[in-house]
Amino acid sequence: MGQYDVLQTLQTAPTPQTTMTMTVYGLNGAYSTFKDDGQGNQVVVSYNAQGVKLGDMWLHNDASMGRDIFYADGSRSGISFNPGVGVTTYT
């Protein structure tokens, strides 16, 4: 197998509004969770083997999207795009 093993069976949602959550585990113990609220909003959050959040990526139903990176020293950085506003970054 590759670097990741999917431990849940993927299924087709009964309706587009069905919420879904999936966790993907890496061979080194790291893992990522994917959540869809059934309303057009999704988020993927990545963690190391100790459960420390490393980063996330999100997409909202208003077409906004972004990514955040969390550092060991407690700082973080990110980028987002919002229609009508444009790209925003932070550190």
Side-chain angles (χ1 to χ4, degrees), residues 3-44:
Q3 184 177 2
Y4 295 97
D5 293 326
V6 177
L7 299 182
Q8 292 182 317
T9 303
L10 298 179
Q11 299 178 9
T12 302
T15 68
Q17 293 79 28
T18 301
T19 60
M20 298 182 79
T21 301
M22 180 177 70
T23 301
V24 179
Y25 295 90
L27 297 178
N28 63 357
Y31 61 97
S32 294
T33 60
F34 167 80
K35 294 181 181 181
D36 183 327
D37 70 358
Q39 303 299 312
N41 303 296
Q42 298 89 31
V43 63
V44 176

Side-chain angles (χ1 to χ4, degrees), residues 11-87:
Q11 299 178 9
T12 302
T15 68
Q17 293 79 28
T18 301
T19 60
M20 298 182 79
T21 301
M22 180 177 70
T23 301
V24 179
Y25 295 90
L27 297 178
N28 63 357
Y31 61 97
S32 294
T33 60
F34 167 80
K35 294 181 181 181
D36 183 327
D37 70 358
Q39 303 299 312
N41 303 296
Q42 298 89 31
V43 63
V44 176
V45 184
S46 298
Y47 301 89
N48 68 14
Q50 291 73 40
V52 175
K53 187 190 292 189
L54 301 176
D56 60 40
M57 295 183 290
W58 50 270
L59 173 65
H60 290 169
N61 59 14
D62 65 357
S64 62
M65 61 188 79
R67 174 166 175 73
D68 302 293
I69 300 171
F70 303 97
Y71 301 100
D73 66 2
S75 65
R76 62 189 198 172
S77 64
I79 186 168
S80 64
F81 170 78
N82 292 286
V85 177
V87 175

